[in-house]
Every structure is written in structure tokens, then in C-alpha cells.
Amino acid sequence: MDIIVQKYGGTSVGSVERIQNVARRVIETKQSGHHVVVVVSAMGDTTDQLITLARQIHKNPPKRELDMLMATGEQTSMALLAMAIDEYGYKAVSLTGYQGGIHTDGYFSKAKIDSIDPHRIQEALEKDQIVIVAGFQGYTDALEITTLGRGGSDTTAVAIAVALNAAKCEIYTDVLGIYTADPRMVSTAKLLPTISYDEILEMAKLGAGVMHPRSVELARKNNMPLVVRSTFDFTNDGTEIIEVKEMEKAQVRGVTLDEDIVRISVPNVPDRPGIAYKLFSSLINLNVHIDMILQNLNHDGFNDISFTVPLEDIDRIIPTIEAFVDEVGASPILVKKDVAKLSIVGTGITSDVKIASGLFGKIYELGINIEMISTSEIKISCIINQNQAQQALEEVHRYFEVNGL
Ligand code: ASP
Ligand code: MG
């Protein structure tokens, strides 16, 4: 019998009725002749509430204890789901990350899964039980409990699907699937029946909030069929994530907006070899995600270097950049928080200059200045002012909708 892994997000298991709804869905899948392994998130916004509680007790909670605390969220939902399934007359067993054999490295709150020993899951399946595994958590060599970073249950689900050689991994969520833009921000966003691994990975990284990027990377690497679909509307097939070899024609598939970024500029950096190296190597140990980097030739012998970082990292990296400024004699840094990154995503779009010029033309028409641009094979991103970002998102989406989104 083949195995289907289903992951249910926090909203999907957010109440008693919703847990019962999930139980029925799981049972239906079982009845249609599959083994089912379910991965659950914590109910509703439990994880946020647990973090808030911790911060009321301690201004900077010890990471080990915070993971211990956060891991309880998923244990609540897995046990309740097992009970709901049992109440409907089916056999179910819930397993923690440890019991499910999910082994991770030791980085609390951002642990990575390094191996899975699925024997306990397999034994339960052989007994014809429905297996429910806590998402988002694992254990280390030292038998510590770790968590995988916010949204990490997606990654738990894909990793288990790969370890069990499942037929597919279904991600159940509160929207119908993957859209051409965030439907909460763009009312005309359309559901995509299919999207490529690369495109969804890019969209996830660009802040589309659809899936944990690591889960997509893992699925792509292992060719695990992935489906994103709704917990509340079983009639809709959702979005299938597929491998796309060649596109007939480059096409914009999605438009994203990330408002949680900051632009940092270091003006008047001496123009000599090794300077960029000095600046960015000083940031290595801070483990910060540097995104766009721009160096412009300024005036005799000096450059400006600008780059973007996630909003949450800004405070902890400023001292290091200021130390760099002092050392090389640059001007004081400029930090601009009211910026946003607007991106278009689609396989091969940078090879068609009509697409880039269409994007820039639309932004120009809106009277918005583009502060930085970066591209990859499948995306074009622009840094713009945050107060016009929402309008730009809608207008750019509309433009590409008319022009073949
Ligand atoms: N409960 C965790 C979170 O809220 C993990 C997840 O939902 O994927 O981030
Ligand atoms: Mg989530």
C-alpha cells in the first residue's frame, strides 16, 4: 500500500471542529486505500502565544527552554487529532519528533533535520494505524528537543515523506493553493493549478508566505511530488508543484512583496581592492541574510555600497558595520526602513527583455523611483518606497495579468 503524507497548518487544526474536520479528511484518505502519515502544526497561533508567555517570564528566554516550550504546541494538536480519529472508530497513534525519529543538529529554534529513522512510524503503519507526527520539532544526539524555525512543519512533512518513500506529500492550508499574488493583498490574484519547484521556492523566499523554503528545496532535491491545497474545500485540487524542464515562453507566474526589509547604505567607501570583502566578511559570524548588494561609483576614489537585510536582523548588525566605517574612514551609514521589495517570478523571465521593461515601465508610470534592482534567472526584484508598495503590487499584478500572467 502506498503512503500519503498530509500536513495540516495551524489554522486547519485551530479548533475542536477543525480538528474533527481534519480527522474526517484523514480517514477518507485511509479509506481510499492508502497508508496515511499526518504532520500537524500547533493549533491556531499557539506558537506565538507560547513565545509571548516566555517573554513575560524572561526578557531573553534561554533557547533550550524556549524550544522545549514551543514543542508543546504541536504535541497538543497531535494528541487531539489522534483522539478525534479514534472517536470516529479508526486506529491512530501520535508521535513526538523524538518518537518519530526526527534527528536534528543542535541549533535551538533553527535546527536542521539531518536524518530520520522512521522505523517506529513504519511499525505503526504495519499495524494499520494512522500515524500523526508533531511538526516543527526534532531531537539531538544529546537528546535535547529542538525546533526547526517558524513554519518548520512543512519541512517535517516533506522530510518524512522522503524518508518513507511516500507517493506524495500534501500540504493542507487555509487558502486554496498557490496564487499569482497573496490573495489577502491582491483581490484579483488567481490560483495556479501548477507551479515549478524553482518558482515556488523563489516565491517562498521572496516573502510570499506560502511554504517554508527548506521544505521546497528538500522536495525538489528528492523529486517528492508536492501538492498545496485547502483544508476547508476538499473539492478543489489546489496547486501541484512540478518539475518544469523547458518553458515554451517565459511568463510571469507570480508577483510578491516583502515589506520586512531594510536598506543600509555605506557612503564614501574608499575604492580599492578588498573593501567589499572586508565589509561582508565581517558579517559572516552574525549569520545574517544579505540580499541585494549594490556598489555605485561615486566620485574620485570613493564608492557607495548599499545592501538589504531582513528587518529583524538590523539592530544586531549595525555595530559591526559601524566598526567597518570607522576602520576604513567611510561616511556614517544610512539606514532606510521604509523600503519594500517588489518582485516578479517566472522561469526564464530575465531572458525576455520585454518583461523587465514592462515592469520598470509600470513602476515609472506610477511615479515610483526604483532604488535598487536585482535579477536571477527566474526573478526580477526592485526596491521601492514602502508607502507606495501596496499600490505597485496591485498595478504590476494587473499589468502582467493582462499581458499573460
Ligand atoms: N507552529 C510552528 C509555527 O507557528 C510551526 C508551523 O506552524 O509550521 O511556526
Ligand atoms: Mg505555519
Side-chain angles (χ1 to χ4, degrees), residues 6 8 12 17-29 170 172-173 175-176 229-238:
Q6 300 185 329
Y8 292 90
S12 305
E17 293 71 30
R18 288 180 175 187
I19 289 175
Q20 289 165 332
N21 173 54
V22 167
R24 288 191 293 272
R25 175 72 194 171
V26 169
I27 289 168
E28 236 174 68
T29 311
E170 298 179 327
Y172 283 88
T173 179
V175 291
L176 289 176
R229 57 188 303 183
S230 167
T231 315
F232 306 113
D233 181 357
F234 297 159
T235 60
N236 197 301
D237 292 336

Side-chain angles (χ1 to χ4, degrees), residues 7 9-11 41 150-154:
K7 180 257 169 176
T11 315
S41 288
R150 300 304 306 272
S153 298
D154 292 340

Side-chain angles (χ1 to χ4, degrees), residues 274-320:
I275 282 286
Y277 168 69
K278 191 188 252 328
L279 172 56
F280 292 105
S281 59
S282 72
L283 297 171
I284 291 176
N285 288 337
L286 297 176
N287 197 10
V288 52
H289 178 73
I290 306 281
D291 191 26
M292 296 187 180
I293 301 176
L294 188 78
Q295 170 171 299
N296 33 10
L297 193 54
N298 202 358
H299 22 248
D300 1 56
F302 291 97
N303 295 323
D304 296 342
I305 297 180
S306 302
F307 52 95
T308 60
V309 296
L311 184 59
E312 59 182 18
D313 289 334
I314 182 74
D315 294 336
R316 57 189 191 93
I317 67 170
I318 283 185
T320 305

